[in-house]
Amino acid sequence: MLLAIQNLIEYLNRNYIDDENLEKEVNIMTKSLYDPEVEKKGIEKGIEKNQVEIVLNMLGEGLDEATISRFTKIDIEKVREIIKKHLN
């Protein structure tokens, strides 16, 4: 979608507006709207949030830290960290 907008602005600028800075500014704007690093951080944050939910749900079902770690493949120290952070 952003690429289509960028292409449209470039076309309009070249054929109708002819502003030297417009394409550069649109480039900067579209890159700020889609940054792969931001997307990566968002995915990582979502995964972490999901891990917290799963650990706390399993704990609520009576499972111990070692069992939670074994089934989720989350390091036991991370499991303990999640429990400590969210239950204390």
Side-chain angles (χ1 to χ4, degrees):
M1 180 71 134
L2 294 175
L3 182 59
I5 293 170
Q6 187 174 355
N7 289 339
L8 177 61
I9 295 297
E10 288 174 5
Y11 171 80
L12 292 172
N13 186 44
R14 288 183 189 144
N15 292 304
Y16 301 103
I17 302 168
D18 200 27
D19 181 345
E20 292 179 15
N21 294 320
L22 184 62
E23 288 184 40
K24 181 179 175 184
E25 290 173 15
V26 168
N27 244 345
I28 292 168
M29 180 191 69
T30 54
K31 284 182 182 176
S32 70
L33 292 174
Y34 175 74
D35 183 353
E37 279 301 311
V38 172
E39 180 182 30
K40 182 180 175 185
K41 289 177 186 176
I43 290 170
E44 289 170 356
K45 188 173 182 177
I47 290 169
E48 185 175 327
K49 183 178 177 184
N50 190 43
Q51 286 180 337
V52 168
E53 187 177 327
I54 290 169
V55 167
L56 296 178
N57 286 341
M58 292 178 83
L59 188 67
E61 291 294 320
L63 297 170
D64 62 88
E65 295 169 352
T67 304
I68 294 170
S69 176
R70 190 174 84 235
F71 284 125
T72 62
K73 305 292 188 241
I74 301 172
D75 183 73
I76 193 157
E77 291 304 317
K78 177 75 175 173
V79 170
R80 289 178 180 146
E81 180 184 312
I82 290 170
I83 293 169
K84 182 178 179 183
K85 182 177 179 182
H86 294 277
L87 293 183
N88 291 332

